[in-house]
Every structure is written in C-alpha cells, then in structure tokens.
Amino acid sequence: MASPPDLPDPDALPEAVVAPQARWRPQLIWLIPLIAVLIGVGLAVQSVLERGPTITISFRTGEGLEAGKTKLKFKDVDIGLIRSVTLSPDQKNVIASAEISKSAERLLVADSRFWVVRPRISGGTVSGLGTLLGGSFVAMDVGSATAKRRDYVGLETPPVFGSDVPGRQFVLKSEDVGSLDVGSPVFFRRLQVGQIAAYELDPDGNGVTLKVFVNAPYDKYVNEDTRFWQASGVDVSIDAAGIKLETQSVVAILVGGLAFQSLPASAGLPPAPANAQFKLFHTRLESMVRQERIVETYVFNFTKSSVRGLSVGAPVDFHGIVVGEVAAINTRFDPVKKEFSIPVEVHFYPERFTGRYASGQKGGPIARNKKAMLDTMVERGFRAQLRSGNLLTGQLYIALDFFPNAPKAAVDWSKAPAEIPTVPGGLQPLQESVEALLAKLNKLPIEGMGHDMQQTIRDAHTLLNRLDAEVIPQARGTLAAAREALDSANLAMQPDSAIQENAGDVMRELSRTAAAFRNLADYLERHPEALIRGKSDEGK
C-alpha cells in the first residue's frame, strides 16, 4: 500500500501580495457603435437643418389627395409631399399639410398658386392625362410678390397660363357668358393668340366679368380702341338689313371663343395696359359700329302705324345713312283724345347727320343751333316714318325724310325728350284707301243692283232670241246674194273674159285719141293763130 503524499508545510506557503488595480483601456470593438451614434446624430442634425417649411393648402374636396403619397410639383419637379389631410373646423373645406423641401422655400411667396392636377376637359383642351397612371399631384405656380406666406387657398381649376408666360391679361364686361368657358380660345385675324383665364358673375348680377390672356407678341395689338366680340359657333342674325351668317373658325364652332380687332383709325395708338377693361359685344358687326361721342335722345310718337316688326336696336335711317337707333318702345294713352299711341325713343347721333363739310370742319348748323335748325326742317316737312327693311323677315326701321305735303306740325320741346312729328308708314295710306273703298262698296245697294242686273240679262236673252228668229234668216239671204255678186265680179275680171277684151279695145282707142290731142296741142303751140284762121296749107 502506497504511502500518502507528503503535505506541504503550512508555514512554508508564500505570503499573498496585494497588487494595485490596473487602468481601463478602450477596446476597438466599441468604436463601431460610437461611430454609428455619431453618424446618426449627424444625419438627424442634417435632416433638421435641411427640412423645409410646412405649409397648409385649403381645398374644397380631398379628391386626389393622399397623406404620405401625393406629391407637390413645380414644373414637373418634386418639391414637397402631402403629410396629412384633415377637415377644416367648419367642415366645409379640406386642409392639406405639405412639407416643402428647403430648396423650394423661396417659391413660397404671397401670390403663389396651388391646384390638384387631375384629368380635365375644359374649353376644348384636355389636360392631366398623365395622372391616369401616376396618380394625382398638387401643382404649383410661383407668383411675383416678395412677401412670404405659409397658408394658401387651392384653386379648383388649373390656371390657363403660368405667371412666367409672356403676355398680358385684360378684363371684359359682358351681359352674359354665352358658350364661353375657361380655356376657350381668343382669336386675332383668325389666329389663336390667347385663352379665357376666368369668369365670374358681377356682384350686382347684371353682367359677367371675364379675364382673358393674350400671349406675346400679339398683346401689343390690343389698344384702348380694340373691340372684342363673341365668336362662338355660328352667328346667325336677322335684322332690317337681312340675314347674316358669320363664324371665326372650326375650333370656334365646336368649343366657342372670342375675337378682337382694332378699328383702322386707331392703328397708331399705344398698347393697352394690363388689366385694361373692355366691353364684350355679341357680334363682330355690333362691335365694329363706331362709338359715338355725342348721343341725343328724341321720341317719335306713332299714332296710326303698327310697330310690329320694330325692335330695340333697329336703325334710324336718313337717305340710306344710319344716324341713330331705337332705344325703347312704349305705349301712351291720351286722356283728352281717348286714344293710344306708340312713342318710340331713339338715340340720335348728330355727328353722323351733319358730318364733315368741304372745308373739313366738324359739326354744322344742328351742332351750332340745334333747336332752330330742327324747327326749320320740321316746318319744311321733316318727319319720321316706319318702313319695311326686309320683306322676308318683316323687320321695320325708322326713316327720316322730307314730306312737303305732310300736315303742319312742330317739334314739342316742352317734353323730355323732345318729340319729332311722324307720318304714317308707306302701306298705311294704301290700307286706309282700301278700307275707305270697302266702306263705299258696303254702302252701295248691291241687292237692288243684282235684281236690275238679272232683269237686264233676261231682256238681253229675249233680244237674242228675236235676232236668231227674225234677223239672222234675212241676213243669211243677203249674204248669199252678196256672195253671188262677188262671184260674178270675179268671173268678169278673168283675163279671157269678154269684158276684159272690150276694156282692152277701149284703152287702145283712148290711147289713139290721146295721141291726136297731143299732136293738136303741139300744132297749136307752134301756130296759135290757127284757132282763128284755121289750119293753113303749110301745116298740111
């Protein structure tokens, strides 16, 4: 059995010595999270520094808006993102919060505009077709203001032109919008030079205000005397001048539009300023009518003529020259005469009536002494008369002319406006004559005349019967005898008849007798004494 090993002596063990604590040394492995933290902090700081402003845009509906997906674009470049879409406190609008990139912050000025781009058809143009695949987005147009802004009201329809498009905008006043729409074309000499930007009803409800944009360089042709008119579709007008048909182009027929043109006399005028206001006429003919500086109002009171076919705007004509137009047609009752009349109010243009004289001076006697001149003209038979301007349509116009045989009358200056006397229309005297003739015919004893006529016819019939029974047989015998006499005369006149032969002998004898008388006359001319002495032997 082996003996156990020797145990060490406890006293022989070495004494423990306390060593000092060593210092902590960084390990390389810890550099990786440290660098990651530093990078994260840097990115966070950079993100904060590069984060753009947040704006709010108010829209009527949230159609096409999605938080976190719908982008904001300027000239098809992403400049922001819709972060949230909420309802407004009054629940009438939608508030979209958008985060704009730092680089686009300078675009957020007071007159910048935002709208949702979606497929649209307006004014004959189609836009936003690209959103059918890529989805809707919010487009932006930068204004020209310098003031900054963070809350905007979005447009329901996209603007027709951008703020950076060269050209000018003009304001048009019209009674109605017709077939025009936003985006409808604007024509100049049948070239499309602009579009309708917007329109709205006037606050008083009596008209419509349109804004049109004319692209450069065509905007320079718009001056203070330019005329705008609706060129939508096909304009057909029927008036005292006849039937007129006018159109601007095929595009205008399909989608409508308007056109403008300046009068030849205004070619040298400077271009009109931006937002200048003009009147929008219904037709080109109406727009090209010269705008008169002097307009006087008179009344033509028609008492025996019908004004059916006379309309407001009908011309007032003097020897083929339009010197005014009908402004209003009314009725009036005279309590003294117990009869109605038709007072027609007209606008009279004295400058057209007087015109220019050979010396080149404007105006004339009416301009200098209107009342005296007009009184003199009325005294000489100056009257107003209704006449037919178109037999097909029945349109009437008022003609001013001199009627020397017209009853005496004078201008009533005591009324406002003054009244100029009238005469019945061209067909009115004929109608009165026909009515008078019919009245006389009605007074005739037609029934008694009919009985007398019947008795006369019976007497004539009896006379004809007597003629047929008594006179005609005798007339037949007389005619037969006359025919026999004519036949006998015809036989006697034949060349081989005895009468013809005897007539030939007689003519020969007469010729010989005439020759003898001729010889005797010649002899007596030579020997006139033979009448006393007789024929001498010498003459034998």
Side-chain angles (χ1 to χ4, degrees):
M1 178 176 178
S3 59
D6 295 338
L7 294 174
D9 186 3
D11 295 336
L13 291 175
E15 184 178 358
V17 178
V18 179
Q21 186 178 2
R23 296 181 179 178
W24 180 82
R25 294 179 180 179
Q27 301 295 326
L28 294 177
I29 194 62
W30 294 104
L31 292 177
I32 295 176
L34 179 60
I35 292 173
V37 171
L38 292 176
I39 292 175
V41 172
L43 291 176
V45 172
Q46 183 179 3
S47 176
V48 172
L49 294 176
E50 292 182 354
R51 178 180 298 175
T54 299
I55 64 173
T56 59
I57 309 173
S58 175
F59 294 100
R60 289 188 179 179
T61 66
E63 181 184 359
L65 300 177
E66 291 186 55
K69 292 184 178 181
T70 304
K71 298 180 180 180
L72 273 74
K73 294 185 179 183
F74 175 65
K75 294 187 176 181
D76 290 334
V77 177
D78 294 345
I79 61 171
L81 184 67
I82 299 295
R83 293 299 183 184
S84 65
V85 179
T86 60
L87 291 174
S88 62
D90 59 1
Q91 299 181 355
K92 293 182 179 179
N93 298 311
V94 173
I95 306 298
S97 297
E99 183 179 328
I100 306 297
S101 62
K102 186 70 174 180
S103 60
E105 183 178 3
R106 65 182 183 276
L107 305 179
L108 302 175
V109 294
D111 55 348
S112 293
R113 298 177 291 181
F114 296 87
W115 66 94
V116 179
V117 177
R118 58 176 71 98
R120 299 176 187 271
I121 300 177
S122 177
T125 59
V126 180
S127 61
L129 292 180
T131 60
L132 294 176
L133 299 177
S136 301
F137 61 91
V138 178
M140 177 185 182
D141 180 63
V142 180
S144 58
T146 57
K148 301 297 181 180
R149 188 176 176 181
R150 293 294 182 267
D151 57 322
Y152 298 89
V153 177
L155 304 177
E156 292 304 314
T157 58
V160 176
F161 59 93
S163 57
D164 57 344
V165 177
R168 280 177 294 169
Q169 181 175 275
F170 302 100
V171 178
L172 306 181
K173 292 288 186 178
S174 176
E175 295 181 358
D176 54 69
V177 73
S179 59
L180 301 175
D181 196 2
V182 174
S184 295
V186 177
F187 297 95
F188 175 69
R189 300 191 181 279
R190 302 187 186 276
L191 296 175
Q192 184 173 344
V193 298
Q195 290 178 309
I196 296 178
Y199 63 85
E200 61 180 358
L201 186 67
D202 293 342
D204 57 4
N206 293 329
V208 178
T209 300
L210 299 94
K211 295 182 179 179
V212 299
F213 185 81
V214 180
N215 300 320
Y218 307 104
D219 57 337
K220 66 182 179 181
Y221 299 112
V222 180
N223 55 48
E224 62 180 11
D225 201 24
T226 297
R227 310 297 171 83
F228 289 82
W229 69 89
Q230 293 192 19
S232 302
V234 179
D235 292 331
V236 180
S237 60
I238 303 176
D239 54 16
I243 302 176
K244 301 181 182 63
L245 187 146
E246 217 176 281
T247 182
Q248 192 67 211
S249 67
V250 177
V251 177
I253 294 176
L254 297 177
V255 302
L258 57 86
F260 69 88
Q261 185 178 344
S262 300
L263 296 177
S266 62
L269 295 177
N275 295 316
Q277 184 171 309
F278 298 89
K279 179 181 179 181
L280 180 61
F281 295 90
H282 288 285
T283 62
R284 182 182 184 277
L285 181 63
E286 181 183 353
S287 67
M288 290 293 108
V289 174
R290 185 177 64 183
Q291 302 298 310
E292 302 297 331
R293 296 175 299 174
I294 303 176
V295 179
E296 297 177 355
T297 303
Y298 293 96
V299 170
F300 300 145
N301 192 25
F302 296 97
T303 57
K304 298 182 179 181
S305 300
S306 173
V307 295
R308 182 180 180 84
L310 185 69
S311 59
V312 174
V316 178
D317 182 285
F318 177 73
H319 289 185
I321 300 175
V322 177
V323 296
E325 64 178 14
V326 175
I329 303 175
N330 304 301
T331 58
R332 178 191 298 169
F333 178 74
D334 189 345
V336 178
K337 298 181 179 180
K338 304 298 183 182
E339 62 182 15
F340 283 93
S341 61
I342 309 296
V344 178
E345 185 176 320
V346 301
H347 288 162
F348 184 74
Y349 310 131
E351 288 184 328
R352 296 188 188 182
F353 194 85
T354 56
R356 293 176 178 264
Y357 291 92
S359 61
Q361 297 178 354
K362 294 183 178 180
I366 293 183
R368 294 193 297 267
N369 194 348
K370 176 180 62 178
K371 291 186 177 181
M373 184 63 184
L374 195 53
D375 286 337
T376 302
M377 294 172 62
V378 171
E379 185 179 354
R380 297 179 59 184
F382 185 73
R383 301 289 189 274
Q385 185 185 52
L386 289 173
R387 293 181 183 177
S388 176
N390 192 305
L391 296 177
L392 178 63
T393 62
Q395 296 288 326
L396 298 180
Y397 71 97
I398 297 179
L400 299 178
D401 209 336
F402 288 90
F403 300 87
N405 299 327
K408 295 296 182 180
V411 181
D412 191 352
W413 296 104
S414 62
K415 296 181 179 180
E419 288 191 7
I420 297 178
T422 64
V423 294
L427 297 179
Q428 188 67 24
L430 178 61
Q431 182 178 354
E432 294 178 355
S433 300
V434 172
E435 291 178 353
L437 178 60
L438 292 176
K440 292 180 180 179
L441 291 177
N442 290 332
K443 295 179 180 179
L444 294 176
I446 303 297
E447 185 176 357
M449 295 175 61
H451 292 304
D452 296 342
M453 183 66 68
Q454 291 177 358
Q455 183 63 35
T456 302
I457 293 174
R458 286 193 294 269
D459 295 343
H461 184 68
T462 303
L463 178 61
L464 290 175
N465 291 334
R466 294 183 60 186
L467 289 174
D468 185 49
E470 300 176 4
V471 177
I472 291 179
Q474 296 180 5
R476 287 177 180 173
T478 303
L479 291 175
R483 185 178 296 108
E484 292 178 357
L486 290 174
D487 293 339
S488 300
N490 188 23
L491 292 174
M493 296 300 295
Q494 295 295 327
D496 55 349
S497 64
I499 295 177
Q500 288 289 342
E501 293 178 358
N502 295 334
D505 295 340
V506 172
M507 293 301 295
R508 286 191 290 273
E509 290 297 330
L510 290 176
S511 298
R512 287 194 291 270
T513 303
F517 274 108
R518 189 180 307 109
N519 293 331
L520 176 61
D522 292 339
Y523 179 80
L524 291 176
E525 183 177 1
R526 294 191 304 270
H527 305 281
E529 69 278 3
L531 292 173
I532 299 175
R533 299 178 181 178
K535 184 177 181 181
S536 62
D537 294 336
E538 298 177 357
K540 293 181 180 179

